[in-house]
Amino acid sequence: PPFIIFFMYALFPSNKGYKGGSLLRIIQSCTNCDKNRTWESQPYIGNIPAGNILTSAAILYSGALPATALKMFNILNVATISQRTFFRHQTQYIQPSVDIAWKRSQELILKSLKDKGDPLILAGDGRSDSPGHSAKYGSYSVLELTCNKIIDFKLVQVSTIIISMIFTTVHCRVMRLAAVTIWKKVFSVF
């Protein structure tokens, strides 16, 4: 708690502190025997304070804008990470772990569909900005209707495609690609 840290500084002025994102490290020095004792406010994941990665993950998973969330921490005077650190954590740690989790989940779904042996009933839907907006990409999801689970999704570049064509041409192309991709995955999962 903050008051304990405050009193440690007040009672032992020879203490030194270090702050790195949400990590607080106190180094207590004894003036009589020259021994040091170190206390840290949180464990590490690898060589990164756990609170720093958890802060980045919480911001990303909540859908909050990093600049807004981090500004709130600064207004409250809560020690936190920088926006640059957030984006580094996102690209180096969080996104790869989400990809791994998605691939594992997808393999389990496809294996269970293969084990059932029933024909697949697929439905797809695309999403992009409304007409008049300038979306560069749209997402396309493929749902297996009997188990009611998303079994694949793709990001589709919209750029020069007219919005009304997205739901026809791209729909057919993505469904065809998804069906081929899914069947390859179904037959290769063991």
Side-chain angles (χ1 to χ4, degrees):
F3 63 89
I4 291 174
I5 294 166
F6 171 77
F7 284 125
M8 284 182 72
Y9 277 123
L11 296 173
F12 305 103
S14 62
N15 291 343
K16 297 176 188 164
Y18 163 80
K19 182 181 75 96
S22 63
L23 171 74
L24 177 66
R25 178 183 303 138
I26 304 275
I27 302 169
Q28 186 178 25
S29 301
C30 178
T31 53
N32 294 333
C33 65
D34 292 331
K35 288 192 177 183
N36 293 332
R37 184 171 49 169
T38 302
W39 174 84
E40 293 180 327
S41 62
Q42 57 193 265
Y44 287 81
I45 298 174
N47 61 350
I48 299 171
N52 293 353
I53 289 185
L54 291 173
T55 299
S56 296
I59 291 170
L60 183 67
Y61 297 152
S62 70
L65 295 173
T68 305
L70 296 172
K71 184 177 180 181
M72 181 197 62
F73 285 130
N74 289 327
I75 289 170
L76 294 171
N77 204 20
V78 173
T80 191
I81 59 175
S82 67
Q83 195 168 347
R84 183 175 173 210
T85 300
F86 167 81
F87 287 116
R88 190 178 68 241
H89 288 167
Q90 181 183 0
T91 56
Q92 291 180 353
Y93 304 105
I94 301 169
Q95 192 60 47
S97 67
V98 168
D99 289 342
I100 290 168
W102 162 249
K103 287 176 184 167
R104 286 181 183 163
S105 174
Q106 187 183 36
E107 285 175 6
L108 288 172
I109 293 168
L110 294 175
K111 184 169 179 354
S112 71
L113 289 170
K114 181 183 176 207
D115 292 344
K116 278 176 54 177
D118 295 337
L120 295 180
I121 302 171
L122 302 176
D125 192 20
R127 182 170 212 190
S128 66
D129 275 344
S130 307
H133 295 280
S134 58
K136 186 171 182 179
Y137 296 96
S139 63
Y140 201 91
S141 303
V142 179
L143 174 76
E144 207 293 321
L145 293 173
T146 58
C147 70
N148 200 28
K149 296 198 182 204
I150 300 288
I151 56 175
D152 207 1
F153 70 93
K154 298 285 180 224
L155 291 179
V156 184
Q157 188 166 359
V158 176
S159 65
T160 57
I161 300 174
I162 300 169
I163 299 297
S164 63
M165 291 176 61
I166 290 174
F167 300 107
T168 55
T169 311
V170 175
H171 176 84
C172 294
R173 189 173 359 138
V174 171
M175 285 300 286
R176 200 172 317 116
L177 173 67
V180 169
T181 305
I182 289 163
W183 280 112
K184 283 182 182 175
K185 288 179 183 177
V186 167
F187 288 117
S188 67
V189 172
F190 282 102

